[in-house]
Every structure is written in C-alpha cells, then in structure tokens.
Amino acid sequence: MQETTGEGERTPPQGAGGGPGHDHGGSSAGSALRARIGLFLGPLVFVAFLLVPPPEAFSPEAWRVLGLTLFMAVWWISEALPIPVTALLPIALLPLTGVVAMDEATAPYANPTIFLFMGGFAIALAVQRWGLHQRLALAILSRSGRGLHTLVGAFMLATAGLSMWVSNTATAALMLPIALSVLGLMERDGGQGLQGMAPDSRSPALALLLGIAFAANIGGMATIIGSPPNALTVAFLNDRYELGIGFIDWMLLGLPLSLTLLVIAWFLLTRWVFPVHRIRLNGLDRMLQEQVGDLGPWSHAELRVAAVFLVVALAWMFRPLLEAWLPLELTDAGIAILGAGLLFLIPSGASGQRRLLCWDNTRELPWGVLLLVGGGLSLGSAIESSGLAELTAEALMGAQAWPLLLVIAGVVLVTMTLSHVTSNTATAATLLPLVAALALRMDVPVGLMTLPVAFAASVAFMLPVATPPNAIVFASNRLRVVDMIRGGALLSVVAIVLVSLAVYALAEPLLLRHVG
C-alpha cells in the first residue's frame, strides 16, 4: 500500500536505516534548492495564469484550472510543501477563482473510496499494533528452504502479500531488519554462511534487498487499498463516470497481474541480474526459529485481529452473495468502516491497551494519504467540469490514429516515468482526467485508459526516490544508485509490456464487464 507522509511520499520511517529517502537519491542541498525554487515558482505560474487573458480556445474557468494544475504539479514535484498540504489547494483556490462553489470543491474529499481506504488503514494499523504481520512474514520465510533464490522468493512473497493490505512503507520497514539479519548470517566468519559463492560477492545482498523493495511496490497493485493510485482511480471512475469497481472486481485483474510481475521480478533478480540460484545458505532455520521463539505463542489480541481481518476480507470477496441473501445495501467502504469499528469495540485481552484499537492509535494513520486522494479527486473534477480535459484531449488528437495497444503503452510509459520523480498519487491525480478525456475522444471505455495509470504508478523501480520501499532499502547503505538502476531497468521494460497487454486484453472482460 502506497503511503504518503507529512514530509512527502518518499520519506521512510526513522529507524528504517536512514533519514528521509529523497536525500539518498541526490544531495540534500540539491533537494532543498529544488524545494525553494518550487516554493516561489508554483505561485508565480498560477498568478501569471490569472493575469494573462486566456487564449481563444480556453474558457476563463479552464484557463484558471490549468494554472492551478501547474501550480500543484510544481509543488508536488519540488516537494516545496508537504504533499498533502498541496492537495488542499483546490479547497482554497477553486472557489476563490470562481471555478466551482465551495461545496463542489470539498465534496470529493468525502468520496466513499476515501472511507474504504480509512477503514483499510485502521485494520492494517491493528495488524501492525499487535505484531501479526511479523508473525505471518516469519511463517512464510520459515518454509523457504535453504537455496538463496528460494529465500529471496519467500521474502518477496511475504512482502507482496503484506503490501496488499498494509502500507508498503511499513511492510518494507518490517522486512528490512529481517533481511539484514539474514545477510549477517550469510556474512558470518568471512562468508562461511554461504555455499557456492565468493565471500566478497554483493549479489546476495542486492538480490534480497531489491527483491523486498520491488515486491512491496508490486504487491500494492493487487487490491484497491493496496496503493493510493488504485483507490484514486476507482473513486475517479465512480465519481465522474458512475463506473463502480468492487473490491473483488479489482482483484480479478490486479492479483494475477501482481503475481505474474512478482514471479518475473524474482526470476530476473535471482537468475539474470544478480544470479544466486546456485547458492545455499547454512543456519537459516536456526535463526528463524530464534525469531519465532522471541515472538512467543499467539496472543489473544493477535487472534482477535486475525479474526476481524478474515471477516472483512471474506465480506469484501462475497459481498454480491451477501447482498442477495440479506435485505441490506453493502458497500466495500461500509464493510471497511464496520471492521474498523469492531477493532475499537473488541477487548484486546492485554494489559497495555484495553481494546484492539484506541483513538490514540489513530495518530499513526496516514491521514495525508486521505487528503491527497481527496485533492486529486477535487482537481480532477475541476479539470473535467471546466472543459480543460476536453481541450487536452483535442490536443492529443494525433494519438487517435495509433493502435489502442500503443496508446495504452504510452500512458503506462508516461505514468511510470513521472512516478520516478514525483509522488505516484500526484501523478495519477494529474493524469486521470486527461487520459479519461482522451478515451472519450477515441470512443473506447474510460477504464482502458485510467487503469494503466493506477498500475503503472506502482512500477517505478529504478531510483531510490521513486517509492518509499526503494528509499528504505537504499537507506541500508548496502546499495548504490547504479545497483537499483541495474536491478530495475529490465523489470521496468517488462512491466510496461505486461501492464499494457494485461489492461488491453483482460480489463474489459474481467474488471469492466459489469460496471456502470
């Protein structure tokens, strides 16, 4: 699950191995200069659009929305202010400039998908609060075998599985210390923990650490709550085009796509880029048994959180059947909020905290993500209603002559490229209304253009600043930027092809077949 913090999307938690992730991709002085330039450039661009009369093709509203879009894009790219703060600009500036009324500008911040995200965050918070995610991760790793390639695969599977439900930042931060413990085991006594590789080889560390980063990003593609761009896309389609995509609907395409890309990433890392498939690891079983022993037996709180998590997941999966059997109107957002409410009601059985969740725990919820999704929806609504989306689509008329698959691949490429240098949610918020307008011009389903944006926002693999998991593993000081580029370059090319083909061939029959 993509997580945006108050300091910007690329700031990993302290204790993950280093300071803010964006400082590792370049000098902190360079980041500070970029922020200072952006702080003044953004408002100047917006004021220029207010002062300069609009061209003949533009309405005054579309011209002002274009200025606001560029203003927000400059601040998002430069991270002049925390990204969620920038996402609040539509509330202040859309009514002020006469584009829309205040109630129209604020309504998207209460979109039902935001509450789906809020409930999912609360459940994930309880999972982390009581250590259930660590137990699940160790359970998978304990069955990984002694081959280093299977160990990397187990780490990636555990990371991706957790990232479907838990913040990818938290998932990477959890898996990193376990991975570093395994690396310490490998390197003991001058590399005697390894069989079949020179002691000074960096391939084991690179394959393992990059596997965690890539899997955290890939796992978030599988569910609506797995990544903010996913939730934003679903909310955008429902809000603007009344296309309702349910939780299980998304998984029909997102889960196979995520699993396929995960297997390809594992194969490329362990057999092609950093070949470790002939290496055996000694002593892993003992180390994992020690860590499992440190956790102790299952606590009452863990069992109760696991039960709530299972009930919510099953309710999401079987919602159509439940609606057919019960005289109730169920929604994915309502199920998530009910699940979160249960966590505040059920006793924990522990002395430190009476309930599975208390209100103080909610301070750790990534509220900035909710604001960011709302800001993206508000901006997208203004782009649509002002006529700017239609004008942009007209400017892209040349793409209509291209084959549909090539247009989808172009959307994937642009989204992935922008996600390497700016917030993936901000990228999605900016592109969604534009590609939706292009889809209408081309007379193709809107989902065929918007879904690639959601998926492509999660496949930025080549730079430490691209995603929080990349930054977290880079903060371990065991990677160089060139290592990440080398590990992610081929995978990025594969991701462009795979996402494009999956959406082109499968989105309509699997995910868009009964929406509307």
Side-chain angles (χ1 to χ4, degrees), residues 201-251:
S201 174
R202 299 177 64 239
S203 291
L206 296 178
L208 184 57
L209 295 177
L210 289 177
I212 290 172
F214 296 166
N217 296 325
I218 293 169
M221 301 167 66
T223 63
I224 291 177
I225 64 171
S227 171
N230 300 357
L232 178 60
T233 301
V234 171
F236 175 81
L237 290 174
N238 184 56
D239 185 53
R240 303 304 304 167
Y241 301 100
E242 297 183 353
L243 301 178
I245 297 177
F247 199 91
I248 194 65
D249 296 320
W250 183 279
M251 291 186 69

Side-chain angles (χ1 to χ4, degrees), residues 102-128:
M102 178 62 77
D103 57 349
E104 274 188 75
T106 56
Y109 292 83
N111 187 282
T113 304
I114 292 179
F115 291 95
L116 167 62
F117 225 8
M118 182 186 295
F121 278 145
I123 295 169
L125 184 62
V127 168
Q128 297 174 63

Side-chain angles (χ1 to χ4, degrees), residues 315-370:
W316 278 332
M317 293 176 64
F318 296 105
R319 179 169 62 86
L321 292 177
L322 292 173
E323 287 181 320
W325 293 341
L326 302 173
L328 300 173
E329 183 179 348
L330 294 175
T331 64
D332 290 336
I335 292 169
I337 294 298
L338 285 173
L342 285 175
L343 295 172
F344 286 97
L345 289 172
I346 297 174
S348 67
S351 58
Q353 182 172 302
R354 289 184 57 199
R355 310 289 180 181
L356 293 177
L357 276 184
C358 66
W359 186 249
D360 284 347
N361 298 145
T362 63
R363 296 174 182 173
E364 301 173 31
L365 284 178
W367 297 102
V369 170
L370 306 181

Side-chain angles (χ1 to χ4, degrees), residues 145-300:
R146 294 178 59 195
L148 188 53
H149 66 295
T150 60
L151 175 69
V152 173
F155 263 96
M156 294 179 70
L157 181 62
T159 303
L162 289 172
S163 190
M164 291 169 57
W165 313 99
V166 180
S167 153
N168 67 353
T169 305
T171 300
L174 161 71
M175 300 303 293
L176 180 62
I178 302 175
L180 293 177
S181 298
V182 172
L183 289 176
L185 176 66
M186 296 179 188
E187 296 160 359
R188 68 182 182 185
D189 303 324
Q192 294 303 309
L194 293 173
Q195 292 180 358
M197 178 157 285
D200 59 349
S201 174
R202 299 177 64 239
S203 291
L206 296 178
L208 184 57
L209 295 177
L210 289 177
I212 290 172
F214 296 166
N217 296 325
I218 293 169
M221 301 167 66
T223 63
I224 291 177
I225 64 171
S227 171
N230 300 357
L232 178 60
T233 301
V234 171
F236 175 81
L237 290 174
N238 184 56
D239 185 53
R240 303 304 304 167
Y241 301 100
E242 297 183 353
L243 301 178
I245 297 177
F247 199 91
I248 194 65
D249 296 320
W250 183 279
M251 291 186 69
L252 287 175
L253 177 60
L255 184 58
L257 176 59
S258 177
L259 287 175
T260 302
L261 190 56
L262 186 70
V263 171
I264 294 174
W266 168 74
F267 180 84
L268 291 177
L269 279 175
T270 61
R271 290 180 177 265
W272 187 270
V273 184
F274 307 112
V276 294
H277 56 287
R278 293 189 176 90
I279 303 173
R280 307 282 287 176
L281 181 62
N282 298 321
L284 175 64
D285 293 340
R286 185 175 67 255
M287 188 204 74
L288 292 177
Q289 288 173 1
E290 291 174 355
Q291 295 205 20
V292 172
D294 291 340
L295 291 177
W298 282 71
S299 67
H300 293 298

